[in-house]
Coordinates of all heavy atoms in Angstrom, one line a residue:
M24 N 111.6 -46.6 -76.2 CA 112.7 -45.8 -76.5 C 112.2 -44.3 -76.5 O 111.1 -44.0 -77.0 CB 113.2 -46.0 -78.0 CG 114.0 -47.3 -78.2 SD 115.5 -46.8 -78.8 CE 116.4 -48.2 -78.4
S25 N 113.0 -43.4 -76.0 CA 112.6 -42.0 -76.0 C 113.0 -41.3 -77.2 O 113.9 -41.8 -77.9 CB 113.2 -41.4 -74.7 OG 114.6 -41.4 -74.9
G26 N 112.3 -40.3 -77.5 CA 112.6 -39.5 -78.8 C 113.6 -38.4 -78.5 O 113.8 -37.6 -79.4
H27 N 114.4 -38.5 -77.4 CA 115.4 -37.4 -77.2 C 116.7 -37.7 -77.9 O 117.1 -38.8 -78.1 CB 115.6 -37.4 -75.6 CG 114.4 -37.1 -74.9 ND1 113.8 -35.8 -74.8 CD2 113.7 -37.8 -74.0 CE1 112.8 -35.8 -74.1 NE2 112.6 -37.0 -73.6
A28 N 117.3 -36.6 -78.3 CA 118.7 -36.7 -78.9 C 119.6 -37.0 -77.8 O 119.5 -36.7 -76.7 CB 119.0 -35.3 -79.5
P29 N 120.7 -37.8 -78.3 CA 121.7 -38.2 -77.2 C 122.4 -36.9 -76.8 O 122.7 -36.0 -77.5 CB 122.7 -39.1 -78.0 CG 122.4 -38.9 -79.5 CD 120.9 -38.3 -79.6
V30 N 122.8 -36.9 -75.5 CA 123.5 -35.8 -74.8 C 124.9 -36.1 -74.9 O 125.5 -37.1 -74.6 CB 123.0 -35.7 -73.4 CG1 123.8 -34.6 -72.7 CG2 121.5 -35.5 -73.3
P31 N 125.7 -35.1 -75.4 CA 127.2 -35.3 -75.5 C 127.8 -35.4 -74.0 O 127.2 -34.8 -73.2 CB 127.7 -34.0 -76.2 CG 126.6 -33.0 -76.1 CD 125.3 -33.8 -75.9
P32 N 128.9 -36.2 -73.9 CA 129.4 -36.3 -72.6 C 129.9 -35.0 -72.0 O 130.2 -34.1 -72.8 CB 130.7 -37.3 -72.8 CG 130.7 -37.5 -74.3 CD 129.6 -36.9 -75.0
P33 N 130.0 -34.8 -70.7 CA 130.4 -33.6 -70.1 C 131.9 -33.2 -70.5 O 132.7 -34.1 -70.7 CB 130.3 -33.8 -68.6 CG 129.9 -35.2 -68.4 CD 129.6 -35.8 -69.7
G34 N 132.1 -32.0 -70.8 CA 133.4 -31.5 -71.1 C 133.7 -31.5 -72.6 O 134.7 -31.2 -73.1
R35 N 132.7 -32.0 -73.4 CA 132.9 -32.1 -74.9 C 131.9 -31.1 -75.5 O 130.7 -31.3 -75.4 CB 132.7 -33.5 -75.3 CG 132.9 -33.6 -76.8 CD 132.8 -35.1 -77.2 NE 133.0 -35.2 -78.6 CZ 132.7 -36.3 -79.2 NH1 132.2 -37.4 -78.6 NH2 132.8 -36.3 -80.5
S36 N 132.4 -30.1 -76.1 CA 131.6 -29.1 -76.7 C 131.0 -29.5 -78.0 O 131.5 -30.4 -78.6 CB 132.3 -27.7 -76.9 OG 133.3 -27.9 -77.9
S37 N 129.9 -28.9 -78.5 CA 129.3 -29.2 -79.7 C 130.2 -29.0 -80.9 O 130.2 -29.7 -81.9 CB 128.0 -28.5 -79.8 OG 127.4 -28.7 -81.1
E38 N 130.9 -27.8 -80.8 CA 131.8 -27.5 -81.9 C 133.0 -28.5 -82.0 O 133.4 -28.8 -83.2 CB 132.4 -26.1 -81.6 CG 131.4 -24.9 -81.7 CD 130.7 -24.8 -80.4 OE1 131.3 -25.2 -79.3 OE2 129.6 -24.3 -80.3
A39 N 133.5 -29.0 -81.0 CA 134.5 -30.0 -81.0 C 134.0 -31.3 -81.6 O 134.8 -32.0 -82.4 CB 135.1 -30.3 -79.6
G40 N 132.8 -31.7 -81.4 CA 132.2 -32.9 -82.0 C 132.0 -32.7 -83.4 O 132.2 -33.6 -84.2
K41 N 131.6 -31.5 -83.8 CA 131.4 -31.2 -85.2 C 132.7 -31.2 -86.0 O 132.8 -31.7 -87.1 CB 130.6 -29.9 -85.5 CG 129.2 -29.9 -85.1 CD 128.6 -28.6 -85.2 CE 127.1 -28.6 -84.8 NZ 126.5 -27.3 -84.9
L42 N 133.7 -30.7 -85.3 CA 135.0 -30.7 -86.0 C 135.5 -32.1 -86.1 O 136.2 -32.5 -87.2 CB 136.0 -29.9 -85.1 CG 137.4 -29.8 -85.6 CD1 137.5 -29.2 -87.0 CD2 138.3 -29.1 -84.6
L43 N 135.3 -32.9 -85.1 CA 135.7 -34.4 -85.2 C 135.1 -35.1 -86.3 O 135.7 -35.8 -87.1 CB 135.4 -35.1 -83.8 CG 135.8 -36.5 -83.7 CD1 137.3 -36.8 -83.9 CD2 135.2 -37.1 -82.5
V44 N 133.8 -34.9 -86.4 CA 133.0 -35.5 -87.6 C 133.5 -35.0 -88.9 O 133.7 -35.8 -89.9 CB 131.6 -35.3 -87.4 CG1 130.8 -35.7 -88.7 CG2 131.0 -36.0 -86.2
T45 N 133.8 -33.7 -89.0 CA 134.3 -33.2 -90.2 C 135.6 -33.7 -90.6 O 135.9 -34.1 -91.8 CB 134.5 -31.6 -90.1 OG1 133.2 -31.1 -89.7 CG2 134.9 -31.0 -91.4
V46 N 136.6 -33.9 -89.6 CA 137.9 -34.4 -89.9 C 137.8 -35.9 -90.3 O 138.5 -36.3 -91.2 CB 138.8 -34.2 -88.7 CG1 140.2 -35.0 -88.9 CG2 139.1 -32.8 -88.5
I47 N 137.0 -36.6 -89.7 CA 136.8 -38.1 -90.0 C 136.2 -38.2 -91.5 O 136.7 -39.0 -92.2 CB 135.9 -38.8 -89.0 CG1 136.7 -38.9 -87.7 CG2 135.4 -40.1 -89.5 CD1 135.8 -39.4 -86.5
L48 N 135.2 -37.4 -91.7 CA 134.6 -37.4 -93.1 C 135.6 -37.0 -94.2 O 135.7 -37.6 -95.2 CB 133.4 -36.5 -93.2 CG 132.1 -37.1 -92.5 CD1 131.0 -36.1 -92.6 CD2 131.7 -38.4 -93.2
L49 N 136.5 -36.0 -93.8 CA 137.5 -35.5 -94.8 C 138.5 -36.6 -95.0 O 138.9 -36.9 -96.2 CB 138.2 -34.3 -94.2 CG 139.3 -33.7 -95.1 CD1 138.6 -33.1 -96.4 CD2 140.0 -32.5 -94.3
A50 N 138.9 -37.3 -94.0 CA 139.9 -38.4 -94.2 C 139.2 -39.5 -95.0 O 139.9 -40.2 -95.9 CB 140.3 -39.0 -92.8
A51 N 138.0 -39.8 -94.8 CA 137.3 -40.9 -95.6 C 137.2 -40.5 -97.0 O 137.4 -41.3 -97.9 CB 135.9 -41.2 -94.9
V52 N 136.8 -39.3 -97.3 CA 136.7 -38.8 -98.7 C 138.0 -38.8 -99.4 O 138.1 -39.3 -100.6 CB 136.0 -37.4 -98.7 CG1 136.1 -36.8 -100.1 CG2 134.6 -37.5 -98.3
I53 N 139.1 -38.4 -98.7 CA 140.4 -38.3 -99.3 C 140.9 -39.8 -99.6 O 141.4 -40.0 -100.6 CB 141.4 -37.6 -98.4 CG1 141.1 -36.1 -98.4 CG2 142.8 -37.8 -98.9 CD1 141.9 -35.3 -97.4
S54 N 140.7 -40.7 -98.7 CA 141.1 -42.1 -98.9 C 140.3 -42.7 -100.0 O 140.8 -43.5 -100.8 CB 141.0 -42.9 -97.7 OG 139.7 -43.0 -97.2
A55 N 139.0 -42.4 -100.1 CA 138.1 -42.9 -101.2 C 138.6 -42.4 -102.6 O 138.7 -43.1 -103.5 CB 136.7 -42.6 -101.0
A56 N 139.0 -41.1 -102.6 CA 139.5 -40.5 -103.8 C 140.8 -41.2 -104.1 O 141.1 -41.4 -105.4 CB 139.7 -39.0 -103.6
G57 N 141.7 -41.5 -103.2 CA 142.9 -42.2 -103.5 C 142.7 -43.6 -104.1 O 143.3 -44.0 -105.0
I58 N 141.7 -44.3 -103.5 CA 141.4 -45.7 -104.0 C 140.8 -45.6 -105.4 O 141.2 -46.4 -106.2 CB 140.4 -46.3 -103.0 CG1 141.1 -46.7 -101.7 CG2 139.8 -47.6 -103.6 CD1 140.1 -47.1 -100.6
V59 N 140.0 -44.7 -105.7 CA 139.4 -44.5 -107.0 C 140.5 -44.2 -108.0 O 140.6 -44.7 -109.1 CB 138.2 -43.5 -107.0 CG1 137.9 -43.1 -108.5 CG2 137.1 -44.0 -106.2
S60 N 141.4 -43.2 -107.7 CA 142.4 -42.9 -108.6 C 143.4 -44.0 -108.8 O 143.8 -44.2 -109.9 CB 143.1 -41.6 -108.1 OG 143.8 -41.9 -106.9
L61 N 143.7 -44.8 -107.7 CA 144.5 -45.9 -107.9 C 143.9 -47.0 -108.8 O 144.5 -47.6 -109.7 CB 144.9 -46.5 -106.6 CG 145.9 -47.7 -106.5 CD1 147.2 -47.2 -107.1 CD2 146.1 -48.2 -105.2
A62 N 142.6 -47.2 -108.7 CA 141.9 -48.1 -109.6 C 141.9 -47.6 -111.0 O 142.1 -48.5 -111.9 CB 140.4 -48.3 -109.1
V63 N 141.8 -46.3 -111.2 CA 141.9 -45.8 -112.6 C 143.2 -46.0 -113.2 O 143.4 -46.4 -114.3 CB 141.5 -44.3 -112.6 CG1 141.8 -43.6 -114.0 CG2 140.0 -44.1 -112.3
I64 N 144.3 -45.8 -112.4 CA 145.7 -46.0 -112.9 C 145.9 -47.5 -113.2 O 146.4 -47.8 -114.3 CB 146.6 -45.6 -111.8 CG1 146.6 -44.1 -111.6 CG2 148.1 -46.0 -112.1 CD1 147.3 -43.6 -110.3
L65 N 145.4 -48.4 -112.4 CA 145.6 -49.8 -112.6 C 144.8 -50.3 -113.8 O 145.3 -51.1 -114.6 CB 145.2 -50.6 -111.3 CG 146.2 -50.4 -110.2 CD1 145.6 -51.2 -109.0 CD2 147.6 -50.9 -110.5
V66 N 143.6 -49.8 -114.0 CA 142.8 -50.3 -115.1 C 143.4 -49.7 -116.4 O 143.5 -50.4 -117.4 CB 141.3 -49.8 -115.0 CG1 140.5 -50.0 -116.3 CG2 140.7 -50.6 -113.9
G67 N 143.9 -48.5 -116.3 CA 144.5 -47.9 -117.5 C 145.8 -48.6 -117.9 O 146.1 -48.8 -119.1
A68 N 146.6 -49.0 -116.9 CA 147.8 -49.8 -117.2 C 147.4 -51.1 -117.7 O 148.2 -51.7 -118.6 CB 148.6 -49.9 -115.9
L69 N 146.4 -51.7 -117.3 CA 145.9 -53.0 -117.8 C 145.6 -53.0 -119.3 O 146.0 -53.9 -120.0 CB 144.7 -53.5 -117.0 CG 144.1 -54.9 -117.4 CD1 145.1 -56.0 -117.0 CD2 142.9 -55.1 -116.7
F70 N 145.0 -51.9 -119.7 CA 144.6 -51.8 -121.1 C 145.6 -51.0 -121.9 O 145.4 -50.7 -123.1 CB 143.2 -51.1 -121.2 CG 142.1 -52.0 -120.7 CD1 141.4 -51.6 -119.6 CD2 141.8 -53.2 -121.3 CE1 140.4 -52.4 -119.1 CE2 140.8 -54.0 -120.9 CZ 140.1 -53.6 -119.7
G71 N 146.7 -50.6 -121.3 CA 147.8 -49.9 -122.0 C 147.4 -48.4 -122.3 O 148.1 -47.8 -123.2
A72 N 146.5 -47.8 -121.6 CA 146.1 -46.5 -121.9 C 146.9 -45.5 -121.0 O 147.4 -45.9 -119.9 CB 144.6 -46.3 -121.6
E73 N 147.1 -44.3 -121.5 CA 147.8 -43.3 -120.7 C 146.7 -42.6 -119.9 O 145.7 -42.1 -120.3 CB 148.3 -42.2 -121.7 CG 149.3 -41.2 -121.1 CD 150.6 -41.8 -120.7 OE1 151.0 -42.8 -121.3 OE2 151.2 -41.2 -119.8
T74 N 147.1 -42.5 -118.6 CA 146.1 -41.9 -117.6 C 146.6 -40.5 -117.3 O 147.8 -40.2 -117.4 CB 146.1 -42.7 -116.3 OG1 147.3 -42.8 -115.7 CG2 145.5 -44.1 -116.5
W75 N 145.7 -39.7 -116.8 CA 146.0 -38.3 -116.4 C 146.9 -38.3 -115.3 O 146.7 -39.0 -114.3 CB 144.7 -37.6 -116.1 CG 144.8 -36.2 -115.7 CD1 145.4 -35.2 -116.3 CD2 144.3 -35.7 -114.4 NE1 145.3 -34.0 -115.6 CE2 144.6 -34.3 -114.5 CE3 143.6 -36.2 -113.4 CZ2 144.3 -33.5 -113.4 CZ3 143.2 -35.3 -112.3 CH2 143.6 -34.0 -112.4
P76 N 148.0 -37.5 -115.3 CA 148.9 -37.5 -114.2 C 148.4 -37.1 -112.9 O 148.9 -37.4 -111.8 CB 150.0 -36.5 -114.7 CG 149.9 -36.4 -116.1 CD 148.5 -36.7 -116.4
G77 N 147.3 -36.4 -112.9 CA 146.6 -36.0 -111.7 C 146.2 -37.1 -110.8 O 146.1 -37.0 -109.6
F78 N 145.8 -38.3 -111.5 CA 145.4 -39.4 -110.7 C 146.6 -39.9 -109.9 O 146.4 -40.4 -108.8 CB 144.9 -40.5 -111.7 CG 143.5 -40.3 -112.2 CD1 143.3 -40.3 -113.6 CD2 142.4 -40.0 -111.4 CE1 142.1 -40.0 -114.1 CE2 141.2 -39.7 -111.9 CZ 141.0 -39.8 -113.3
V79 N 147.7 -39.9 -110.5 CA 149.0 -40.3 -109.7 C 149.2 -39.4 -108.6 O 149.4 -39.8 -107.4 CB 150.2 -40.4 -110.6 CG1 151.4 -40.7 -109.9 CG2 149.9 -41.4 -111.8
G80 N 149.0 -38.1 -108.8 CA 149.2 -37.1 -107.7 C 148.2 -37.3 -106.6 O 148.5 -37.2 -105.4
I81 N 146.9 -37.6 -106.9 CA 145.9 -37.8 -105.9 C 146.3 -39.1 -105.1 O 146.1 -39.1 -103.8 CB 144.5 -38.0 -106.6 CG1 144.1 -36.7 -107.2 CG2 143.5 -38.5 -105.6 CD1 142.9 -36.8 -108.0
A82 N 146.7 -40.1 -105.8 CA 147.1 -41.4 -105.0 C 148.3 -41.1 -104.1 O 148.4 -41.6 -103.0 CB 147.3 -42.5 -106.0
W83 N 149.3 -40.5 -104.6 CA 150.5 -40.2 -103.9 C 150.3 -39.3 -102.7 O 151.0 -39.5 -101.7 CB 151.6 -39.6 -104.8 CG 152.4 -40.6 -105.5 CD1 151.9 -41.4 -106.5 CD2 153.7 -41.0 -105.3 NE1 152.9 -42.3 -107.0 CE2 154.1 -42.0 -106.2 CE3 154.7 -40.4 -104.5 CZ2 155.3 -42.5 -106.3 CZ3 156.0 -41.0 -104.6 CH2 156.3 -42.0 -105.5
V84 N 149.4 -38.3 -102.8 CA 149.2 -37.4 -101.7 C 148.1 -37.8 -100.9 O 148.1 -37.6 -99.7 CB 149.0 -36.0 -102.3 CG1 148.7 -35.0 -101.3 CG2 150.3 -35.5 -103.1
G85 N 147.0 -38.3 -101.5 CA 145.8 -38.6 -100.8 C 145.9 -39.6 -99.6 O 145.5 -39.5 -98.6
F86 N 146.6 -40.7 -100.0 CA 146.8 -41.8 -99.0 C 147.6 -41.4 -97.8 O 147.1 -41.6 -96.6 CB 147.4 -43.0 -99.6 CG 146.5 -43.9 -100.4 CD1 146.8 -44.3 -101.7 CD2 145.2 -44.2 -100.0 CE1 146.0 -45.0 -102.5 CE2 144.3 -45.0 -100.7 CZ 144.7 -45.3 -102.0
P87 N 148.7 -40.7 -98.0 CA 149.4 -40.2 -96.7 C 148.7 -39.2 -95.9 O 148.6 -39.2 -94.7 CB 150.7 -39.6 -97.3 CG 150.9 -40.3 -98.6 CD 149.6 -40.5 -99.1
V88 N 147.9 -38.3 -96.6 CA 147.2 -37.3 -95.9 C 146.0 -37.9 -95.1 O 145.8 -37.6 -93.9 CB 146.7 -36.2 -96.8 CG1 145.6 -35.3 -96.2 CG2 147.8 -35.3 -97.4
A89 N 145.3 -38.9 -95.7 CA 144.2 -39.5 -95.1 C 144.8 -40.4 -93.9 O 144.2 -40.4 -92.8 CB 143.5 -40.5 -96.0
F90 N 145.9 -41.0 -94.1 CA 146.5 -41.8 -93.0 C 146.9 -40.9 -91.8 O 146.7 -41.2 -90.7 CB 147.8 -42.5 -93.5 CG 148.5 -43.2 -92.4 CD1 148.1 -44.5 -91.9 CD2 149.7 -42.7 -91.8 CE1 148.7 -45.1 -90.9 CE2 150.3 -43.3 -90.8 CZ 149.9 -44.6 -90.4
L91 N 147.5 -39.7 -92.1 CA 147.9 -38.8 -91.0 C 146.6 -38.3 -90.3 O 146.7 -38.1 -89.0 CB 148.7 -37.6 -91.6 CG 150.1 -38.0 -92.0 CD1 150.8 -36.9 -92.7 CD2 150.9 -38.5 -90.9
L92 N 145.6 -38.0 -91.0 CA 144.3 -37.5 -90.3 C 143.8 -38.6 -89.4 O 143.3 -38.3 -88.3 CB 143.3 -37.1 -91.4 CG 143.5 -35.8 -92.1 CD1 142.6 -35.6 -93.2 CD2 143.4 -34.6 -91.1
M93 N 143.8 -39.8 -89.9 CA 143.2 -40.9 -89.1 C 144.1 -41.2 -87.9 O 143.6 -41.5 -86.9 CB 143.0 -42.2 -90.0 CG 141.9 -42.0 -91.0 SD 141.8 -43.6 -92.0 CE 140.8 -42.9 -93.3
A94 N 145.4 -41.1 -88.1 CA 146.3 -41.3 -87.0 C 146.1 -40.2 -85.9 O 146.2 -40.5 -84.7 CB 147.8 -41.4 -87.5
A95 N 146.0 -39.0 -86.4 CA 145.7 -37.9 -85.5 C 144.4 -38.1 -84.6 O 144.4 -37.8 -83.4 CB 145.6 -36.6 -86.2
M96 N 143.4 -38.7 -85.3 CA 142.2 -38.9 -84.6 C 142.4 -40.1 -83.5 O 141.8 -40.0 -82.4 CB 141.0 -39.4 -85.5 CG 140.5 -38.2 -86.3 SD 139.8 -36.9 -85.4 CE 141.1 -35.7 -85.4
V97 N 143.2 -41.1 -83.9 CA 143.5 -42.2 -82.9 C 144.2 -41.7 -81.7 O 143.9 -41.9 -80.6 CB 144.2 -43.3 -83.6 CG1 144.7 -44.3 -82.6 CG2 143.3 -44.0 -84.6
I98 N 145.3 -40.9 -82.0 CA 146.1 -40.3 -80.9 C 145.2 -39.4 -80.0 O 145.3 -39.4 -78.8 CB 147.3 -39.5 -81.5 CG1 148.3 -40.5 -82.2 CG2 148.0 -38.7 -80.5 CD1 149.3 -39.9 -83.0
R99 N 144.3 -38.6 -80.6 CA 143.5 -37.7 -79.9 C 142.6 -38.5 -79.0 O 142.4 -38.1 -77.8 CB 142.6 -36.9 -80.8 CG 141.6 -36.0 -80.2 CD 140.6 -35.3 -81.2 NE 139.7 -34.5 -80.5 CZ 138.5 -35.0 -79.9 NH1 138.3 -36.3 -80.0 NH2 137.7 -34.2 -79.4
N100 N 142.0 -39.6 -79.5 CA 141.1 -40.4 -78.6 C 141.9 -41.1 -77.6 O 141.3 -41.3 -76.4 CB 140.4 -41.4 -79.5 CG 139.3 -40.8 -80.3 OD1 138.7 -39.8 -79.9 ND2 138.9 -41.4 -81.5
I101 N 143.1 -41.5 -77.8 CA 143.9 -42.1 -76.7 C 144.2 -41.2 -75.7 O 144.1 -41.5 -74.5 CB 145.2 -42.8 -77.3 CG1 145.0 -43.9 -78.2 CG2 146.2 -43.1 -76.2 CD1 146.1 -44.5 -79.0
R102 N 144.6 -40.0 -76.0 CA 144.9 -38.9 -75.0 C 143.7 -38.5 -74.3 O 143.7 -38.3 -73.1 CB 145.5 -37.7 -75.7 CG 146.9 -38.0 -76.3 CD 147.5 -36.8 -76.9 NE 147.7 -35.8 -75.9 CZ 147.9 -34.5 -76.0 NH1 147.9 -34.0 -77.3 NH2 148.2 -33.7 -75.1
R103 N 142.5 -38.5 -74.9 CA 141.3 -38.1 -74.3 C 140.8 -39.2 -73.2 O 140.4 -38.9 -72.2 CB 140.2 -38.0 -75.3 CG 138.9 -37.4 -74.8 CD 137.9 -37.1 -75.9 NE 136.6 -37.2 -75.4 CZ 135.8 -38.2 -75.6 NH1 136.1 -39.1 -76.5 NH2 134.5 -38.2 -75.1
R104 N 141.0 -40.5 -73.6 CA 140.7 -41.6 -72.7 C 141.6 -41.6 -71.5 O 141.2 -42.0 -70.4 CB 140.7 -42.9 -73.4 CG 139.5 -43.1 -74.3 CD 139.5 -44.4 -74.9 NE 138.5 -44.6 -75.9 CZ 137.3 -45.2 -75.7 NH1 137.2 -45.9 -74.6 NH2 136.4 -45.3 -76.7
R105 N 142.9 -41.3 -71.7 CA 143.8 -41.3 -70.6 C 143.5 -40.2 -69.6 O 143.9 -40.2 -68.4 CB 145.2 -41.2 -71.0 CG 145.7 -42.5 -71.7 CD 147.2 -42.5 -71.9 NE 147.6 -43.7 -72.5 CZ 148.8 -44.0 -72.8 NH1 149.7 -43.1 -72.7 NH2 149.1 -45.1 -73.4
S106 N 143.0 -39.1 -70.1 CA 142.7 -37.9 -69.2 C 141.4 -38.1 -68.4 O 141.1 -37.4 -67.5 CB 142.6 -36.7 -70.0 OG 141.5 -36.7 -70.9
L107 N 140.6 -39.1 -68.8 CA 139.3 -39.3 -68.0 C 139.5 -40.0 -66.7 O 140.2 -40.6 -66.3 CB 138.4 -40.2 -68.9 CG 137.8 -39.5 -70.1 CD1 136.9 -40.5 -70.9 CD2 137.0 -38.3 -69.8

């Protein structure tokens, strides 16, 4: 194996690749925050405790935002493959 870094495909700039990775990581972090907040809400409801309303807001907003970011990445990749 050679020790060279992989070369990005032609027509794809380094900035676009960094932006893509950033958006994917952002979607993953937002969805993980939504899962954690949903778990806190469910555990709190199981034990009859009152949970902070921010957890509900994170779950209500986080999941749709993460879904839209991931859907945008899928649509972007479909459009990119069709143009090749």
Side-chain angles (χ1 to χ4, degrees):
M24 290 233 162
S25 65
H27 300 288
V30 177
R35 183 173 175 194
S36 67
S37 175
E38 294 83 25
K41 289 179 183 178
L42 179 64
L43 177 66
V44 170
T45 303
V46 171
I47 290 171
L48 286 175
L49 182 64
V52 168
I53 291 172
S54 63
I58 289 171
V59 169
S60 65
L61 186 61
V63 168
I64 293 167
L65 291 175
V66 169
L69 179 67
F70 292 113
E73 189 73 24
T74 58
W75 178 55
F78 287 127
V79 176
I81 292 170
W83 273 68
V84 174
F86 284 130
V88 168
F90 176 78
L91 290 174
L92 285 172
M93 290 179 196
M96 290 298 102
V97 168
I98 291 170
R99 179 189 176 276
N100 285 333
I101 290 172
R102 291 181 68 196
R103 187 171 153 253
R104 286 183 185 257
R105 286 191 180 179
S106 68
L107 292 177

